[in-house]
């Protein structure tokens, strides 16, 4: 690894994609490529974070993101602890800042935070002395997910400049969508959004993306189709009439995918609602589905982020 | 409904009034295979059955938006068959059926049911409207996309407004994505909770609780504001007051895609027709003041109002032969829509063109349907009427299963002589 890119990412925290520049992003993605190779070896250990403490602070339940960060930390030799907060201190009335101050006294080096409130990771970062990684805050950002999406796509498509990427589904409530839109446009991709207007922010057209309400129009000539999870509570609210109507008009199936370029790639941040936003036939098609590959990329990207932040602190 | 065999017909010598093309002259119309073959003068009959229509007016069949029948759920009030017969007798050839039935038309299977029952039993075109919310409860969005694909042409919550503004906003947003037309009845649910007639001096004298005009204006203001913010096409269903019409007129002037309809009863009657507690004059919205009525007429003249409707709402004697406040609101209107509209012409309040525009091409364009216009290639949905013939409206002779017409006993002038649907004579042969 050359020193030039190592020094490119200089922020003390990773709170969002907003605020990163193209060089920083490319540096992180290049760094992740090295870890991808490491993760495919039988001996997956590195000692880059040996002696350091990583705390996974999850105020919202999560399986894949939490285990991905845990694995990333452990493979780098860090001491990792997971704190599932919903069952402990918060139940006793402790505020987010109280928790932060308490944890800070334990001298962690890296704090990975997920919280249901937008802006929670940023607030926490102001109260602790260590590096904070936002693992998803409300409907705001989920930067490591966007990085792993971009990483996965670069592995298949090379440079993303000029590539057409449709992000479909509940953009309104999705932190993944917000981070992806910023990151993919930063890398030069042409991003399209497709959802019923009830699931789109009213001013999405100002984000430098094209907005569609019809899947076939949206997918026309796309290289990539990225599906978003429709959260169960949205299905019964006033946003969407029913799951069958949602799947009929906005669920990705073979017929709709035909509008995209032949061989267009399909992504999903997981966990999937099969038969709601994506047909199993598509999700399980190894020719086009990158869904499991996204999970693999996730560990490497998170190792890259953790090492970059750790170096920034020294 | 099995219609008569589709023989070619030549309707000769009628005054052809087609508001869409602004045609108004004596002309012949040749109908073949259910469609209009040609329009011109001295057309050769070419073996077609010739109908001498001299002295009569030939116009596109009337299009009536949001008609209630009792099917399914209250067939004693009206069925699609009886409504179809009443419509044919009134020169109405297309009925947009209100989703307010029991159960409500709020899923694609129900849309399909209405279409099928209409095809099998009614002599006129039956076109379903879908519910805007599930069960018309005003809480959850109905399957607007699936119903649209099943054939619903607009989405309405029936007589009930969607009281929850957030739900209404979502409904308008969602409908926009589905390119669906939303229709809203402007009734503020809290202000209108207990009223039975127009609030004012007359209601006070009668000791009846009032439905204030401001309740309608508030909802029109709200729904127009939401439609404007969402960029959704909206139909305000059955306006009745000057103030509400002004809201629509101003919105149209600034380019908002909003339309409105008004019922023939609100154009021809006013609150005084309640008279001695006549329950046939209890309507939703209620009959308003004479000032409101005149404002609505001006609204048709200046193009602010897009459609005139019958507001057809059949209610049998057991729902009407009651003290005023206990009776059900509603009036039948399919059979008297044309005659009521023509009374405005005879009273020199509106021209024949103004009246026919809001009965034919106005609603057709609003719905985006290829009807309401006499041009070659279109379905031969036509009405041939005597503009001037005098008659007295007798509720007992109304073809609807329910006889609740507020025109009962009234002297009328003008009525349909023959009605054609897809080139078949469905009335007057």
């Amino acid at each position: 690894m050359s020193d030039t890119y190592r020094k490119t990412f200089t922020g003390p925290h990773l709170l969002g994609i907003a605020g990163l520049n193209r060089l920083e992003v490319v540096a992180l993605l290049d760094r992740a490529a090295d870890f991808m190779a490491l993760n495919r070896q039988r001996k997956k250990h590195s000692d880059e974070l040996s002696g350091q403490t990583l705390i996974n602070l999850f105020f919202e339940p999560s399986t894949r993101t939490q285990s991905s960060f845990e694995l990333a930390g452990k493979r780098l030799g860090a001491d990792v602890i997971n704190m599932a907060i919903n069952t402990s201190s918060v139940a006793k009335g402790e505020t987010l800042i109280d928790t932060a101050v308490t944890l800070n006294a334990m001298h962690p080096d890296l704090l990975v935070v997920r919280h249901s409130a937008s802006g929670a990771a940023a607030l926490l970062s102001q109260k602790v002395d260590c590096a904070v990684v936002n693992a998803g805050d409300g409907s705001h950002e989920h930067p490591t997910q966007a990085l792993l999406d971009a990483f996965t796509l670069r592995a298949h498509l090379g440079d993303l400049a000029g590539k057409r990427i449709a992000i479909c589904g509940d953009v309104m409530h999705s932190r993944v969508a917000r981070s992806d839109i910023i990151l993919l446009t930063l890398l030069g991709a042409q991003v399209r959004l497709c959802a019923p207007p009830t699931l789109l922010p009213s001013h999405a057209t100002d984000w430098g993306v094209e907005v569609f309400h019809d899947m076939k129009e949206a997918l026309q000539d796309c290289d990539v189709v990225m599906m978003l999870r429709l959260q169960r509570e949205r299905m019964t609210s006033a946003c969407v009439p029913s799951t069958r109507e949602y799947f009929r008009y906005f669920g990705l199936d073979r017929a709709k995918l035909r509008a995209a370029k032949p061989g267009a790639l399909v992504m999903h941040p997981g966990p999937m609602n099969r038969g709601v936003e994506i047909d199993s036939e598509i999700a399980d098609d190894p020719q086009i589905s990158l869904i499991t590959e996204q999970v693999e990329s996730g560990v490497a990207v998170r190792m890259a982020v953790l090492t970059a932040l750790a170096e920034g602190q020294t | 409904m099995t219609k008569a065999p589709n023989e070619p017909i030549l309707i000769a010598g009628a005054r052809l009034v087609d508001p869409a093309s602004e045609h108004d002259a004596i002309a012949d119309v040749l109908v073949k295979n259910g469609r209009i073959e040609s329009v011109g003068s001295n057309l050769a009959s070419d073996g077609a059955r010739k109908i001498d229509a001299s002295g009569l007016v030939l116009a596109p069949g009337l299009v009536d938006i949001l008609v209630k029948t009792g099917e399914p759920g209250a067939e004693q009030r009206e069925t699609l068959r009886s409504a179809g017969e009443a419509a044919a007798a009134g020169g109405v050839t297309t009925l947009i059926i209100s989703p307010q039935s029991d159960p409500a038309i709020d899923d694609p299977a129900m849309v399909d049911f209405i279409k099928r029952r209409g095809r099998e039993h009614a002599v006129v075109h039956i076109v379903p409207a879908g519910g805007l919310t599930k069960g018309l409860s005003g809480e959850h969005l109905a399957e607007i996309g699936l119903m649209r694909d099943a054939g619903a042409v607009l989405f309405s919550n029936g007589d009930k407004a969607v009281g929850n503004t957030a739900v209404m906003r979502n409904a308008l947003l969602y409908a926009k994505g589905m390119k669906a037309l939303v229709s809203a009845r402007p009734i503020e649910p809290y202000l209108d909770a207990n009223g039975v007639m127009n609030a004012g001096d007359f209601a006070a004298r009668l000791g009846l609780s009032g439905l204030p005009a401001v309740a309608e204006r508030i909802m029109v203001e709200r729904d127009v504001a939401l439609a404007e913010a969402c960029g959704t096409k909206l139909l305000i269903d059955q306006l009745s007051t000057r103030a509400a019409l002004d809201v629509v007129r101003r919105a149209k002037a600034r380019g908002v895609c909003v339309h409105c309809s008004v019922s023939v009863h609100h154009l021809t009657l006013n609150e005084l027709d309640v008279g001695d507690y006549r329950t046939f004059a209890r309507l939703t919205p209620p009959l308003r003041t004479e000032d409101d009525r005149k404002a609505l007429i001006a609204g048709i003249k200046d193009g602010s109002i897009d459609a005139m409707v019958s507001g057809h709402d059949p209610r049998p004697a057991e729902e009407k032969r009651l003290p005023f406040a206990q009776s059900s609101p509603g009036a039948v209107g399919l059979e008297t829509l044309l005659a009521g509209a023509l009374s405005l012409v005879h009273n020199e309040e509106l021209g024949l063109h103004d009246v026919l525009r809001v009965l034919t091409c106005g609603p057709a364009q609003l719905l985006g349907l290829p009807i309401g216009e006499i041009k070659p290639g279109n379905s031969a949905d036509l009405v041939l009427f005597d503009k001037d013939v005098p008659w007295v409206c007798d509720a007992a002779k109304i073809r609807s299963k329910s006889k609740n017409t507020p025109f009962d006993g009234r002297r009328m002038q003008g009525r349909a002589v023959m009605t054609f649907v897809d080139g078949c004579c469905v009335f007057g042969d």
Side-chain angles (χ1 to χ4, degrees):
Chain A
M1 286 182 231
S2 75
D3 275 356
T4 46
Y5 78 66
R6 289 220 157 213
K7 285 175 186 144
T8 315
F9 181 75
T10 51
H13 310 289
L14 180 66
L15 301 175
I17 300 295
L20 297 188
N21 63 42
R22 199 171 185 285
L23 287 177
E24 289 173 310
V25 167
V26 172
L28 283 172
L29 297 179
D30 287 344
R31 185 189 283 250
D34 296 337
F35 289 113
M36 195 75 172
L38 176 72
N39 285 338
R40 284 179 178 178
Q41 288 168 18
R42 190 171 166 79
K43 184 174 177 298
K44 301 176 182 66
H45 254 282
S46 138
D47 56 1
E48 289 192 51
L49 295 187
S50 110
Q52 301 208 29
T53 306
L54 165 66
I55 300 182
N56 265 336
L57 187 57
F58 277 63
F59 292 86
E60 268 186 349
S62 154
T63 355
R64 67 182 68 205
T65 306
Q66 182 174 325
S67 52
S68 183
F69 270 108
E70 183 177 355
L71 212 49
K74 284 180 171 163
R75 284 183 184 168
L76 292 166
D79 299 316
V80 181
I81 58 163
N82 291 319
M83 301 192 61
I85 296 296
N86 49 335
T87 51
S88 61
S89 319
V90 169
K92 297 174 193 160
E94 194 174 81
T95 67
L96 176 63
I97 290 175
D98 292 337
T99 310
V101 170
T102 306
L103 289 175
N104 198 44
M106 300 176 193
H107 297 292
D109 302 283
L110 293 152
L111 204 51
V112 175
V113 190
R114 166 165 294 186
H115 198 283
S116 60
S118 301
L123 178 63
L124 203 68
S125 73
Q126 293 160 15
K127 305 291 172 192
V128 296
D129 303 318
C130 64
V132 173
V133 181
N134 180 4
D137 61 328
S139 304
H140 176 226
E141 280 227 47
H142 190 354
T144 55
Q145 177 71 41
L147 287 166
L148 75 87
D149 287 340
F151 180 87
T152 311
L153 283 177
R154 287 214 321 169
H156 285 264
L157 302 174
D159 189 359
L160 298 186
K163 294 285 188 283
R164 255 194 212 106
I165 301 174
I167 301 177
C168 309
D170 185 3
V171 176
M172 173 91 91
H173 306 97
S174 174
R175 50 195 173 215
V176 175
R178 280 169 182 73
S179 291
D180 270 327
I181 291 166
I182 302 168
L183 183 54
L184 296 171
T185 48
L186 188 66
L187 295 175
Q190 294 175 23
V191 176
R192 295 173 168 187
L193 304 181
C194 184
T198 43
L199 295 178
L200 282 169
S202 53
H203 294 88
T205 42
D206 297 342
W207 292 358
V209 295
E210 286 180 275
V211 174
F212 295 84
H213 308 306
D214 179 284
M215 285 286 276
K216 282 187 179 164
E217 288 171 26
L219 264 52
Q220 198 70 48
D221 297 322
C222 276
D223 300 277
V224 180
V225 184
M226 211 178 252
M227 300 308 296
L228 298 173
R229 175 180 167 75
L230 182 68
Q231 284 169 17
R232 222 158 264 283
E233 58 268 27
R234 315 282 177 224
M235 298 177 198
T236 50
S237 76
C239 295
V240 173
S242 64
T243 53
R244 68 175 182 179
E245 173 148 332
Y246 189 81
F247 184 69
R248 167 71 183 75
Y249 298 102
F250 299 98
L252 187 65
D253 57 16
R254 198 64 79 178
K256 297 194 191 82
L257 191 57
R258 251 176 234 126
K261 277 189 187 166
L265 301 169
V266 174
M267 306 178 83
H268 191 297
M272 284 180 281
N273 291 303
R274 291 166 183 269
V276 177
E277 70 258 355
I278 192 162
D279 192 352
S280 282
E281 194 196 348
I282 302 290
D284 301 334
D285 182 345
Q287 297 295 315
I288 53 169
S289 171
L290 302 182
I291 296 168
T292 47
E293 216 176 304
Q294 285 172 278
V295 179
E296 184 186 4
S297 308
V299 181
V301 161
R302 284 166 183 132
M303 289 167 83
V305 167
L306 294 177
T307 53
L309 287 172
E311 284 163 25
Q313 289 188 310
T314 52
Chain B
M1 188 85 187
T2 323
K3 288 163 189 153
N6 233 328
E7 56 174 350
I9 301 172
L10 178 70
I11 304 166
R15 173 184 170 193
L16 193 156
V17 182
D18 181 39
S21 60
E22 296 188 347
H23 186 288
D24 184 354
I26 305 292
D28 299 345
V29 172
L30 181 64
V31 172
K32 262 187 185 170
N33 301 320
R35 298 195 169 269
I36 293 163
E37 176 82 8
S38 53
V39 180
S41 48
N42 300 318
L43 292 182
S45 68
D46 206 11
R49 174 189 163 200
K50 188 171 175 179
I51 294 169
D52 179 12
S54 50
L56 302 177
V57 176
L58 182 65
L62 275 43
V63 179
D64 197 2
I65 297 180
L66 292 174
V67 166
K68 281 204 254 173
T69 75
E71 192 170 342
E75 286 80 357
Q76 76 282 6
R77 288 181 187 154
E78 187 91 289
T79 59
L80 290 169
R81 181 195 294 271
S82 63
E85 281 164 11
V92 183
T93 53
T94 302
L95 307 186
I96 313 303
I97 301 295
S98 164
Q100 197 170 349
S101 50
D102 183 15
I105 307 172
D106 65 353
D107 73 7
M110 283 301 297
V111 169
D112 209 52
F113 170 80
I114 295 293
K115 276 174 64 181
R116 180 174 61 76
R117 294 288 294 180
R119 237 180 1 250
E120 291 172 359
H121 297 281
V123 291
V124 300
H125 296 298
I126 297 294
V127 181
L132 191 60
T133 60
K134 279 180 195 145
L136 310 186
S137 65
E139 288 164 16
H140 301 294
L141 287 191
E143 293 172 322
I144 292 172
L146 294 173
M147 284 193 281
R148 176 203 64 186
D149 287 354
V153 294
L154 70 81
F155 296 88
S156 148
N157 218 45
D159 290 349
K160 292 184 277 182
V162 175
N164 183 328
T165 307
V167 174
M168 188 61 185
R169 179 172 172 275
N170 270 334
L172 284 164
L173 277 173
Y174 192 80
K176 177 193 171 194
M178 290 295 167
K179 298 188 174 71
L181 172 63
V182 173
S183 160
R185 181 62 76 80
I187 292 176
E188 208 285 327
Y190 300 99
L191 280 173
D192 269 2
N194 301 309
V196 295
M197 74 168 286
N198 184 47
D201 169 49
F202 194 50
R205 283 170 196 268
L206 291 176
L208 293 173
S209 55
L211 294 156
V214 71
E216 178 171 290
R217 178 182 156 194
I218 287 169
M219 280 316 246
V220 174
E221 296 266 22
R222 184 198 78 167
D223 289 342
V224 166
L226 288 174
E228 186 172 10
C230 300
T232 310
K233 183 172 167 180
L234 175 69
L235 166 65
I236 301 290
D237 171 38
Q238 292 194 41
L239 276 187
S240 64
T241 60
R242 174 187 288 276
L245 177 61
D246 282 342
V247 177
V248 172
R249 189 181 280 125
R250 283 198 303 272
K252 282 189 167 192
R254 57 176 193 273
V256 183
C257 197
V258 60
H259 304 272
C260 66
S261 67
V262 59
S263 96
V264 66
H265 300 123
H266 293 89
L267 288 162
T268 51
L269 305 171
N270 66 30
E271 59 179 352
L272 299 178
D273 285 286
V274 169
D276 191 17
Y277 302 95
R278 289 179 66 223
T279 57
F280 281 8
R282 181 174 176 197
L283 310 180
T284 352
L287 292 170
R288 301 289 188 181
T289 65
E290 180 62 7
D291 176 62
D292 289 313
R293 190 187 73 85
K294 284 183 170 154
L296 298 180
I297 286 174
I300 288 193
K301 218 177 275 178
D302 71 13
S304 303
I305 293 171
D306 302 86
M308 191 195 303
V309 300
S310 69
H312 190 76
D313 190 354
R315 300 286 165 170
E318 63 266 26
E319 292 186 56
K320 283 291 189 183
R321 208 177 291 145
L322 291 166
F324 193 87
Q326 290 165 25
S327 66
S328 299
V332 291
L334 286 168
E335 219 169 320
T336 46
L337 174 59
L338 179 61
L342 288 173
S343 74
L344 298 167
V345 178
H346 293 301
N347 294 342
E348 296 178 347
E349 294 184 289
L350 286 173
L352 184 59
H353 279 252
D354 291 330
V355 158
L356 287 178
R357 176 181 60 80
V358 291
L359 288 169
T360 61
C361 61
Q365 285 163 7
L366 175 55
L367 297 166
L369 297 176
I371 54 174
E373 186 178 355
I374 299 180
K375 65 173 184 189
N378 268 18
S379 286
D381 298 340
L382 303 164
V383 57
L384 195 58
F385 63 92
D386 183 333
K387 186 166 75 70
D388 302 312
V389 61
W391 58 290
V392 175
C393 179
D394 178 358
K397 290 183 182 160
I398 288 278
R399 282 167 180 77
S400 283
K401 285 184 126 183
S402 298
K403 313 296 179 188
N404 52 316
T405 170
F407 291 137
D408 186 27
R410 194 175 165 106
R411 288 178 175 76
M412 314 293 278
Q413 203 179 348
R415 70 193 304 179
V417 175
M418 290 181 95
T419 304
F420 303 88
V421 173
D422 286 335
C424 294
C425 183
V426 293
F427 170 74
D429 209 355

